Amino acid sequence: NPILLTCFFLSPPSPNFQHDVSQTLLKATLDSVVEECVSFVGVDINNCSEILLRHIAGLNANRAKNVIEWREKNGSFVNREQLKDVKGLGPKSFQQCAGFIRINQEYIRSFCSQQGELAAGGHKAATNEKQGKKKNKAAASNIQRPNPLDQTCIHPESYNIAMR
């Protein structure tokens, strides 16, 4: 497991091991392995860390932070389309990252049932804003529905072809 391997190398090393390996080369190699795994396997957007999000194409440190903030404020992502509501994540970034992001449908079903949401699996974006104030994009969203293709590597641009 490359992620566990990364944790192993980032943990305090044995006395002489730390000095045997170039730290710059080690970091570059580990980053490359993590990026390769992210590209091959994808990342569950509702369970991953900000650091792992940084390794997804189209997401930098600031966008990854904004994704985590959106998730903390609004709850779990129900579908990939909600990524468009994240501050700083425009059409180009969405196009680059969407295929590497997964949304676990079982997790969404259990989350929705725990929250007492609609039986159809809907999820309403949460908001703390008072009436009369400007609503942000997430608050303006109505009920979001899960899309089974969001747990696959199929890019949203190809959903129509996949549904045929």
Side-chain angles (χ1 to χ4, degrees), residues 79-159:
N79 59 45
R80 286 177 177 159
E81 288 297 314
Q82 287 179 302
L83 286 167
K84 294 177 180 178
D85 295 336
V86 174
K87 178 184 173 188
L89 208 150
K92 291 271 188 200
S93 297
F94 176 79
Q95 184 180 29
Q96 290 176 336
C97 75
F100 303 112
I101 290 176
R102 308 287 185 271
I103 298 178
N104 184 325
Q105 300 299 310
E106 289 299 319
Y107 175 80
I108 295 302
R109 277 194 270 290
S110 67
F111 175 81
C112 290
S113 66
Q114 288 173 1
Q115 298 298 318
E117 296 290 338
L118 299 175
H123 172 71
K124 198 164 190 153
T127 181
N128 294 330
E129 296 182 25
K130 295 179 182 177
Q131 286 183 341
K133 287 189 175 183
K134 266 188 166 178
K135 293 182 180 179
N136 64 20
K137 286 194 270 183
S141 299
N142 288 330
I143 294 175
Q144 296 290 330
R145 304 259 182 240
N147 185 333
L149 293 176
D150 287 343
Q151 63 188 352
T152 70
C153 63
I154 299 170
H155 195 280
E157 291 176 343
S158 302
Y159 282 2

Side-chain angles (χ1 to χ4, degrees), residues 10-132:
L10 295 178
S11 65
S14 59
N16 292 325
F17 180 72
Q18 179 180 12
H19 304 291
D20 293 342
V21 178
S22 162
Q23 295 301 299
T24 306
L25 180 59
L26 177 62
K27 182 181 180 337
T29 303
L30 290 173
D31 283 345
S32 174
V33 168
V34 171
E35 286 174 14
E36 185 177 336
C37 290
V38 165
S39 297
F40 185 72
V41 177
V43 172
D44 185 343
I45 191 94
N46 290 317
N47 294 322
C48 68
S49 68
E50 180 181 332
I51 293 169
L52 190 55
L53 282 173
R54 293 178 190 177
H55 292 282
I56 297 174
L59 299 182
N60 57 24
N62 193 42
R63 289 184 193 118
K65 180 178 160 235
N66 290 343
V67 167
I68 298 297
E69 287 174 359
W70 189 98
R71 187 175 71 192
E72 288 171 355
K73 181 180 179 185
N74 300 292
S76 298
F77 286 86
V78 176
N79 59 45
R80 286 177 177 159
E81 288 297 314
Q82 287 179 302
L83 286 167
K84 294 177 180 178
D85 295 336
V86 174
K87 178 184 173 188
L89 208 150
K92 291 271 188 200
S93 297
F94 176 79
Q95 184 180 29
Q96 290 176 336
C97 75
F100 303 112
I101 290 176
R102 308 287 185 271
I103 298 178
N104 184 325
Q105 300 299 310
E106 289 299 319
Y107 175 80
I108 295 302
R109 277 194 270 290
S110 67
F111 175 81
C112 290
S113 66
Q114 288 173 1
Q115 298 298 318
E117 296 290 338
L118 299 175
H123 172 71
K124 198 164 190 153
T127 181
N128 294 330
E129 296 182 25
K130 295 179 182 177
Q131 286 183 341

